[in-house]
Amino acid sequence: MVKNLTAMCAIAVIALVLYWPSLELDFVYTWDDAAYVTNNPLVVREAPIDLQHIFLSAVNQVYSPLTILSFAVEAKLFGASPFFYHLNNVLLHLFVCLLLFWLAVKIGLSVPGAFFSAVLFAVHPMHVESVAWISERKDVLYAAFYLLALLQYVAFVKTSKKKWFYLSVFFGLCGMLAKPMALSLPLIMLLLDWFLMRPLSWGARIKEKAVYCLYIIPLALCSFWSLGSTAGDPLSKVLLWVFSFVFYIKKFFFPDVFLPHYALAEPVVLGHPAYMGSLLLGAVFIYSIIRYRHSRWFLFAWLYYFCSIFFLFRTTNVLSVQNVANLSQVADRFMYLPSAGFCLWLGYLAQKSLKGSARKIMPFVLVLIVIFLGWRASCQMLVWKNDTTLWKHAIRHAPQDPLGYINRGLGYEKRGQYDLAILDDSLAMQKNSGAYVSDLAAQFPQLNDTQLAHANAVNALLLNNPYYVAALRNRARAYYAKKDMMAARADCDAVLAINPQDKPAFCKGKMRP
């Protein structure tokens, strides 16, 4: 027990020291923090917290009421300071690392192996996005409930006491209410049944998990409904599925550059090198699983990854070939909890290496690995300092992705640097930004230049979809400022036809019939 407590204290210290600089980070207004926190009427309100609306609303098409509730409580207690939001993200990440350590011990790792697993999870740079980005409270919160549910389930498997089972059901529900990715929980529990060699028939095991489906299925359907249908032919969907599956593995084992947005490789066809390469690597992974299928820890790691991330490809619309603004086909945050299986397996390998022929040098190797990953994580944390630093980093490493220019321009506009904002918007237009370019129009009314607002709104409509609401709304505003009421009303009617609840404030009075 002393060893466990010592290891847990060391894990907590490492996580706190690494992420302490994140407490000085600002909100990232151009990348969901405004939608989730600073401009969210469910969070920033003088009236008491509205539980009914929080639990009946989705933000950015994601149903995560517990996450929104946590933001609302923080807003009531601490106001608009980003410090406390970041602090709670860090504390939740620390808690997740400790839970992972405890789970590793419970399923068979030694204290050193479990310690390395948890530290690896704590310092991996792929997790910086989930911790340093306030909006991704969803990840650290759902992961905490998810691992709590798994720990209760392991206790149930070992003792057969029903109280642990019902606690796992409760924590699983909380995880689903924090982020829909928790819907993989019954699959991971079935995986634990196999891994722990539970003496129960597979039929009985599956029947037992039906209790979780009582809340998982309705909540999952809510998430799928809010996202809408996907588009694209079956081959494109399969290619994107394989590409996404391989992408996360490469990023975890070869942590090079991490970006807030990864532009989709176009076109999505079999002959594209990105998708051909993913198919080849996918074949290698399948072969390795078959080749080492008798290694329980190896197989557990891969099955955990597959089961925990499989539903992601639907809940985040990854199977859609529509390259929609602010919707990432792949993102570092999606790997936050699915990477836990790999961390446990690597902890097992570290445990074996400390007992092998190279046991004298292995502690130094493991320390160097942790130091390297911690250094990469600390560098990545600085990227999330504010809007400008984030999108400068994105532009530096992905200069052809117009979203970086658009969002950096939005950051400049927020600080009143309109000349730089217009320059970035012009650069974005040059990159043939497609769906993203519609967002440009939202900036220009701030300049009090209605001609410029009108011109850019029209350009947005020409380059994109004539039914894009943001561009229609801004063009209506430009027409209204020019006293062209007939044209303004036509655009307002178009907005209302798409979304009857989206009524621009200026579409009132004499302008409306």
Side-chain angles (χ1 to χ4, degrees):
M1 192 62 182
V2 175
K3 284 185 177 180
N4 289 345
L5 290 175
T6 304
M8 292 174 74
C9 288
I11 293 166
V13 169
I14 291 170
L16 278 175
V17 169
L18 176 64
Y19 278 97
W20 194 258
S22 71
L23 303 184
E24 299 180 0
L25 304 181
D26 197 359
F27 290 106
V28 183
Y29 299 96
T30 58
W31 202 232
D32 283 358
D33 281 355
Y36 274 95
V37 185
T38 59
N39 292 344
N40 188 347
L42 298 172
V43 172
V44 185
R45 50 185 281 122
E46 295 181 1
I49 295 173
D50 191 343
L51 290 175
Q52 179 180 354
H53 280 88
I54 287 176
F55 279 86
L56 292 177
S57 304
V59 177
N60 281 1
Q61 298 180 300
V62 177
Y63 182 67
S64 52
L66 276 187
T67 301
I68 303 304
L69 179 60
S70 72
F71 289 145
V73 171
E74 285 168 323
K76 281 293 180 187
L77 295 176
F78 309 116
S81 171
F83 174 87
F84 293 100
Y85 295 92
H86 283 298
L87 177 62
N88 287 332
N89 273 21
V90 172
L91 293 177
L92 281 168
H93 177 61
L94 185 156
F95 185 50
V96 169
C97 296
L98 295 179
L99 290 174
L100 184 62
F101 168 82
W102 203 247
L103 178 65
V105 171
K106 291 296 183 182
I107 64 175
L109 281 184
S110 66
V111 172
F115 175 77
F116 183 74
S117 296
V119 170
L120 187 62
F121 187 91
V123 304
H124 201 288
M126 200 171 190
H127 298 159
V128 168
E129 181 171 281
S130 296
V131 184
W133 184 15
I134 290 174
S135 293
E136 278 313 300
R137 168 75 53 80
K138 300 186 294 292
D139 283 332
V140 289
L141 189 58
Y142 108 85
F145 286 124
Y146 196 102
L147 291 177
L148 280 170
L150 291 182
L151 280 167
Q152 308 314 309
Y153 185 74
V154 170
F156 165 68
V157 169
K158 292 186 175 182
T159 65
S160 297
K161 293 183 178 180
K162 287 291 185 179
K163 66 176 183 179
W164 303 121
F165 178 79
Y166 293 125
L167 277 173
S168 72
V169 172
F170 170 73
F171 286 126
L173 173 60
C174 292
M176 278 292 295
L177 293 174
K179 188 173 184 177
M181 274 188 72
L183 64 88
S184 64
L185 188 61
L187 293 179
I188 301 301
M189 289 176 172
L190 286 171
L191 179 61
L192 285 172
D193 286 341
W194 164 79
F195 185 75
L196 298 174
M197 294 181 284
R198 188 181 178 196
L200 193 66
S201 69
W202 279 105
R205 295 174 187 175
I206 294 173
K207 184 178 179 181
E208 181 184 73
K209 308 304 181 292
V211 176
Y212 299 93
C213 296
L214 293 177
Y215 63 79
I216 284 178
I217 290 176
L219 292 175
L221 289 175
C222 288
S223 299
F224 293 164
W225 176 81
S226 66
L227 285 170
S229 61
T230 57
D233 62 275
L235 178 59
S236 297
K237 294 183 178 184
V238 171
L239 291 175
L240 278 173
W241 194 96
V242 176
F243 172 80
S244 303
F245 185 84
V246 172
F247 172 88
Y248 295 114
I249 298 169
K250 291 191 296 184
K251 282 292 181 181
F252 181 83
F253 288 101
F254 304 99
D256 48 4
V257 176
F258 298 98
L259 301 175
H261 178 263
Y262 298 96
L264 179 64
E266 297 283 1
V268 184
V269 294
L270 187 59
H272 195 290
Y275 302 108
M276 284 294 293
S278 296
L279 288 172
L280 291 174
L281 286 175
V284 171
F285 296 140
I286 292 173
Y287 169 77
S288 66
I289 291 172
I290 297 173
R291 174 69 175 79
Y292 298 103
R293 63 187 180 278
H294 299 299
S295 173
R296 294 183 70 80
W297 279 100
F298 178 81
L299 200 56
F300 173 80
W302 285 97
L303 289 176
Y304 179 95
Y305 167 68
F306 178 81
C307 292
S308 60
I309 210 166
F310 175 81
F311 290 108
L312 164 70
F313 302 137
R314 181 56 183 85
T315 56
T316 58
N317 229 20
V318 159
L319 293 185
S320 173
V321 297
Q322 295 172 336
N323 205 5
V324 183
N326 291 3
L327 176 61
S328 300
Q329 302 290 331
V330 288
D332 303 331
R333 59 188 177 274
F334 298 149
M335 190 57 171
Y336 183 71
L337 192 55
S339 67
F342 293 138
C343 291
L344 292 171
W345 172 52
L346 293 172
Y348 168 74
L349 294 181
Q351 172 182 303
K352 287 186 64 176
S353 69
L354 292 173
K355 297 178 180 178
S357 57
R359 59 184 177 274
K360 291 184 178 180
I361 194 174
M362 280 312 297
F364 300 101
V365 174
L366 297 178
V367 168
L368 287 175
I369 291 173
V370 170
I371 291 174
F372 170 74
L373 292 176
W375 169 73
R376 290 286 293 111
S378 63
C379 294
Q380 185 64 20
M381 210 178 311
L382 297 176
V383 168
W384 288 88
K385 183 178 180 181
N386 54 44
D387 294 280
T388 305
T389 58
L390 179 64
W391 298 110
K392 279 183 177 179
H393 171 78
I395 291 169
R396 181 162 57 251
H397 294 284
Q400 296 306 313
D401 184 0
L403 190 60
Y405 299 98
I406 292 169
N407 283 325
R408 188 173 68 175
L410 287 168
Y412 285 140
E413 182 266 330
K414 184 175 180 61
R415 294 199 299 273
Q417 297 174 287
Y418 298 120
D419 52 342
L420 295 176
I422 294 172
L423 177 60
D424 268 348
D425 293 333
S426 299
L427 291 171
M429 296 284 251
Q430 294 172 15
K431 302 296 179 181
N432 189 23
S433 53
Y436 305 136
V437 80
S438 301
D439 292 333
L440 298 179
Q443 296 178 44
F444 291 103
Q446 306 290 335
L447 304 179
N448 296 318
D449 188 338
T450 55
Q451 293 291 342
L452 189 58
H454 175 257
N456 280 277
V458 171
N459 283 337
L461 291 170
L462 290 174
L463 287 173
N464 188 33
N465 187 333
Y467 300 108
Y468 193 84
V469 175
L472 284 167
R473 189 190 303 110
N474 282 287
R475 188 171 68 175
R477 183 185 291 112
Y479 281 136
Y480 181 71
K482 294 170 64 179
K483 309 301 182 184
D484 189 346
M485 297 305 176
M486 184 175 295
R489 186 171 67 181
D491 277 347
C492 281
D493 288 339
V495 170
L496 292 171
I498 298 169
N499 182 4
Q501 306 302 318
D502 189 1
K503 188 174 183 178
F506 49 86
C507 292
K508 295 179 180 179
K510 296 180 179 179
M511 199 173 111
R512 304 299 304 161

